[in-house]
Amino acid sequence: MTAAGWPEEEADDPPALSGRWRRLLVRVWGRLAAWAGSEGERWVLWLPVSFGAGVSLYFGLRQEPVWWGGLAAVGGAAVLLLAVRRWFALAGAAMALLMAAAGFLVAQAHTVRMAAPVLTRSIAGATVTGRVMAVERRPGAVRITLREATVSRLAPEQTPAALRIRLSDRNPAPAPGSVVRLRAALLPPQAPAEPGAFDFQRRAWFMGLGGTGFATGAVEQVEAPPITGWSTVSIAFERARGAIAERVAAAIGNPVEASVTTALLNGEEFGIPEATLDDFRNSGLAHLLSISGLHVGIAAGILFYVVRALLAAVPYIALRWPIKKIAALFGILSALAYTLLVGAPLPTVRSVLMTGMVMGAIMLDRHPLSMRLVAFAGLVTIAMDPEGMLGPSFQMSFAAVVALIAAFERGSVRLAEWRRDAGWLVRGLFYVGGILLTSVVATLATLPFSLFHFQQIAFYGVLSNLIAIPITSFWVMPWSLIAYALLPFGLEAPALIAMNWGDRAVIWTAEFFGRLPWASLTVPAMPVEGFAALVAGGLWLCIWTRRWRWLGMLPILAGLTSPMLVARPDVLVSGDGAVAAVRLPDGRLSASVKSGGRVTETWRERDGARTAADPWPAAGGWSDGERSLSCDALGCLYRVRGRTLALPRLPDALDEDCGAADAVVTPAVARGCRAGIVVDRWALRHEGAHTLTVTEEGVRVETVRGLRGDRPWTGGR
């Protein structure tokens, strides 16, 4: 074999090549082989990336693959790997292919495992009985999750495994574990508001959630069999979260401050007012409200140092027992307990894996921070919840950690040399600089994901984190651990009050920076292709260590500019036809109704618009030459780039509109309509939400079903 891993016979020069070209090819191949060899320890980091690519491939399909598709892919890749195992380069490519096939298979198996009945139609006035598994306290309402449910108008085999129902807060919320009966209006999980928008149907499928709804009557508690199995543990922690919320509310009078303190203690963000959440988002501090790596790491680290200090204070133990390793074990246990208490969201699970491996490395006398550690944690997390990999929580948490460790690898040695002989003042400056650098790196790393999922950039995130993170690390989290220790004895009030002083400072920081001019910028939705380029470029930049890693900046720049290359649609129609919107000359959307709920809010966010335009007029309209809207009692006509789109309000207008318009959009049934494009009740029911974009060639139509296809969670199979 050659040094590059190819067999000797393949290394021979083809006879057709001249000596000059032969030398050039040998030189180029040798340089590439040298580069590849210099990154030898980093190649393994691409295996979790390949695994995730296989998961993405599965979810990107428009049709569900045959049941044996994943198995066949894994088997074929394994055979290929065995066939080329003697050649290093080919074996590496085959291994990456095998990992991609394994990711595809795991995602497919997870879909089958989570299969459960899902509502396909709305049900009004149903009597629902079920066990309360979760209680979410929200401003003005309570939301409960029911399992073991029965629905009066559904057969057992059609009844979802879990239902989420909204209750009024006028009555006390039912206790977790109790069985309740209520009258409710039930709805299927909501489809995307437009093609490419967040797919709650898919998320609900993997949550085991078969429907949502709201109660239309009082909640009645009924006799129930005892709780058994894992549900006992789950309900116990749910009750603990409720008890913590009540204790915090009793100790802290201000509801806003109490809600933030509760979120940090038990993971419940639902009670925080929307205005406060907006301040945290605009200031770049929203991650402090979501229990993630920062909180788990601080909690485990504090307990690690406290236990180690206490054991070191006893000479007999300190001289005979491995106190550092014992403290690391306590750190692992604290991370596990904290995760269970806050409900084990995906970022926290990732953090527990990371924390467990860091503490495990300490127990094994290994270096605790490495990119391989992150790769292993990512692989395990994706395997546990493949669909969760597509969400912002997983992506943003891993992006921040990968970028921070990559930065640590680049500069840790030099910074350690500078810090070794520094005095206390310089060490303090190093600490401040470390927080600043951490904030900059984490902000830049999570920026692409914030743009893709939320269409938002927080400009003052670095400054706000420079203030809020030290307060959280050195004041809020230590007092939270003290409060945990005192809760069983009912003595937690002083610790909660002290903790709230820090929370108050964090809230003030969020309000100050979140309300400054240009605190945040909203941008149009990024196309999937641009997002994929950003992710690929970021991985290339962080995984490699040589100068060629900077080539990753090219796809990053391409991804960042991609939103400017995609035109937003001129007309949008909701999946039920109840709401439509047209684009104004200033780029904003004007909806057919004054308040379209979450649908119009999603449209506005994906437009990158901060404010909503006035709805369509009852009569009259506007015109700027290229675009015009004219309305009367029967409906509206929208003209753009020489095309006419009819938007009738009443069926009586269909005959005239169908004969004159290029496209007709109506929530009614438009049988026999002669227009070139017809979006009516049947089209909406079959295809979901529609968008219409007028170009020089004509009117381009995109639909939710056309983009995501027919999958188990869409009801198309």
Side-chain angles (χ1 to χ4, degrees):
M1 293 179 63
T2 64
W6 297 99
E8 293 290 350
E9 61 270 21
E10 293 189 15
D12 295 339
D13 303 320
L17 291 177
S18 65
R20 181 188 304 173
W21 284 107
R22 178 179 58 82
R23 289 191 297 272
L24 179 61
L25 287 176
V26 169
R27 182 179 302 173
V28 170
W29 180 256
R31 179 64 61 87
L32 290 175
W35 282 351
S38 66
E39 299 275 13
E41 295 184 356
R42 310 291 285 191
W43 284 98
V44 70
L45 300 178
W46 288 100
L47 295 182
V49 177
S50 299
F51 189 85
V55 172
S56 299
L57 175 62
Y58 169 79
F59 286 110
L61 296 178
R62 295 189 66 255
Q63 297 289 335
E64 188 67 14
V66 293
W67 67 267
W68 46 265
L71 290 172
V74 170
V79 170
L80 178 63
L81 178 60
L82 289 174
V84 300
R85 66 185 184 278
R86 294 173 52 200
W87 301 285
F88 178 78
L90 291 178
M95 187 65 194
L97 187 62
L98 177 61
M99 290 297 293
F104 187 97
L105 175 61
V106 167
Q108 187 178 17
H110 192 59
T111 300
V112 174
R113 185 175 69 86
M114 297 304 297
V118 177
L119 292 180
T120 57
R121 59 184 176 86
S122 301
I123 302 176
T127 301
V128 182
T129 304
R131 189 180 297 276
V132 179
M133 298 299 295
V135 179
E136 302 169 7
R137 300 156 189 85
R138 295 171 173 267
V142 174
R143 197 167 66 180
I144 61 174
T145 300
L146 299 178
R147 290 191 179 272
E148 306 170 16
T150 60
V151 180
S152 61
R153 299 171 62 182
L154 287 178
E157 64 273 11
Q158 298 175 324
T159 303
L163 294 166
R164 195 156 66 186
I165 299 177
R166 188 181 183 94
L167 312 176
S168 171
D169 65 346
R170 291 193 296 267
N171 300 313
S178 62
V179 175
V180 298
R181 181 186 296 121
L182 51 87
R183 295 275 292 176
L186 301 180
L187 305 168
Q190 190 173 17
E194 68 168 273
F198 172 66
D199 193 346
F200 179 69
Q201 281 185 321
R202 186 185 65 205
R203 180 81 285 250
W205 175 276
F206 291 96
M207 292 170 60
L209 189 65
T212 62
F214 55 91
T216 57
V219 178
E220 174 189 357
Q221 294 205 15
V222 299
E223 295 293 330
I227 306 167
T228 58
W230 174 252
S231 297
T232 306
V233 178
S234 176
I235 289 174
F237 277 102
E238 185 64 33
R239 288 173 175 170
R241 285 192 285 274
I244 289 173
E246 293 175 359
R247 300 278 188 92
V248 171
I252 301 172
N254 187 296
V256 174
E257 297 171 5
S259 64
V260 172
T261 303
T262 301
L264 294 174
L265 284 170
N266 66 4
E268 288 188 3
E269 302 176 44
F270 316 110
I272 302 176
E274 191 63 30
T276 303
L277 287 174
D278 287 339
D279 290 335
F280 273 84
R281 295 186 192 108
N282 295 336
S283 63
L285 296 178
H287 66 96
L288 293 180
L289 299 177
S290 176
I291 304 299
S292 58
L294 176 67
H295 308 80
V296 174
I298 292 173
I302 290 174
L303 199 62
F304 170 81
Y305 285 111
V306 169
V307 170
R308 188 179 181 187
L310 292 175
L311 294 177
V314 183
Y316 180 85
I317 296 177
L319 295 174
R320 291 170 174 80
W321 292 4
I323 60 173
K324 185 177 181 180
K325 298 179 180 181
I326 294 173
L329 177 61
F330 274 89
I332 295 174
L333 295 176
S334 68
L336 286 172
Y338 191 36
T339 300
L340 291 173
L341 184 61
V342 299
L346 188 62
T348 314
V349 173
R350 188 271 307 166
S351 304
V352 168
L353 287 171
M354 290 286 296
T355 303
M357 286 185 283
V358 167
M359 296 297 176
I362 293 174
M363 296 172 70
L364 297 174
D365 299 319
R366 302 292 297 272
H367 195 282
L369 291 177
S370 71
M371 197 68 80
R372 292 193 178 193
L373 192 71
V374 183
F376 179 75
L379 190 63
V380 174
T381 308
I382 296 173
M384 291 173 58
D385 184 8
E387 195 272 340
M389 188 198 77
L390 307 180
S393 296
F394 173 91
Q395 294 171 4
M396 297 181 79
S397 60
F398 265 96
V401 173
V402 168
L404 288 171
I405 290 185
F408 175 80
E409 290 176 336
R410 306 291 189 274
S412 59
V413 175
R414 181 172 298 179
L415 289 175
E417 293 175 354
W418 291 346
R419 191 175 182 274
R420 185 179 302 118
D421 300 324
W424 65 269
L425 179 59
V426 176
R427 287 174 181 265
L429 293 176
F430 264 103
Y431 171 75
V432 174
I435 295 178
L436 182 62
L437 179 62
T438 299
S439 299
V440 171
V441 171
T443 300
L444 292 176
T446 56
L447 174 62
F449 306 94
S450 180
L451 289 174
F452 180 73
H453 292 285
F454 309 117
Q455 296 81 53
Q456 189 177 48
I457 306 172
F459 284 117
Y460 303 122
V462 172
L463 296 176
S464 60
N465 278 280
L466 189 62
I467 298 172
I469 287 181
I471 296 174
T472 304
S473 303
F474 294 106
W475 186 268
V476 173
M477 291 306 297
W479 280 111
S480 71
L481 294 180
I482 296 173
Y484 283 136
L486 296 177
L487 276 166
F489 310 103
L491 304 175
E492 73 286 342
L496 291 175
I497 292 172
M499 176 183 175
N500 183 56
W501 294 340
D503 292 336
R504 191 178 301 166
V506 173
I507 294 172
W508 178 88
T509 304
E511 291 176 348
F512 177 78
F513 287 101
R515 298 176 186 179
L516 287 176
W518 295 96
S520 64
L521 175 68
T522 55
V523 296
M526 180 184 295
V528 174
E529 297 81 3
F531 180 65
L534 272 169
V535 173
L539 289 169
W540 184 276
L541 185 64
C542 292
I543 288 179
W544 298 130
T545 59
R546 306 295 175 178
R547 283 182 296 178
W548 67 343
R549 70 179 185 272
W550 294 109
L551 292 174
M553 291 301 299
L554 297 177
I556 289 176
L557 293 175
L560 289 174
T561 57
S562 62
M564 296 182 291
L565 305 177
V566 179
R568 291 287 294 155
D570 296 298
V571 178
L572 297 97
V573 191
S574 65
D576 58 1
V579 187
V582 300
R583 192 161 303 282
L584 299 176
D586 63 4
R588 294 185 300 164
L589 288 173
S590 173
S592 57
V593 296
K594 186 174 183 180
S595 176
R598 183 57 192 164
V599 171
T600 53
E601 187 178 343
T602 299
W603 293 346
R604 179 178 57 79
E605 290 172 353
R606 289 179 60 80
D607 263 0
R610 287 189 172 274
T611 59
D614 293 333
W616 300 352
W622 47 261
S623 175
D624 77 331
E626 185 182 56
R627 297 173 185 266
S628 67
L629 180 72
S630 57
C631 298
D632 58 25
L634 295 178
C636 298
L637 290 178
Y638 180 58
R639 297 180 176 88
V640 55
R641 300 184 183 93
R643 307 282 177 174
T644 301
L645 289 79
L647 305 156
R649 289 169 171 159
L650 298 176
D652 296 342
L654 278 174
D655 289 339
E656 180 180 351
D657 291 338
C658 286
D662 297 285
V664 174
V665 178
T666 174
V669 177
R671 290 190 181 94
C673 186
R674 300 182 303 277
I677 295 173
V678 179
V679 180
D680 66 350
R681 180 187 303 173
W682 296 116
L684 293 169
R685 182 175 296 179
H686 188 250
E687 299 288 336
H690 282 54
T691 64
L692 291 81
T693 305
V694 180
T695 64
E696 297 297 333
E697 292 76 24
V699 181
R700 186 177 73 249
V701 180
E702 293 183 347
T703 67
V704 167
R705 183 172 180 265
L707 183 65
R708 65 175 184 169
D710 294 324
R711 305 302 298 273
W713 49 86
T714 66
R717 184 184 180 192

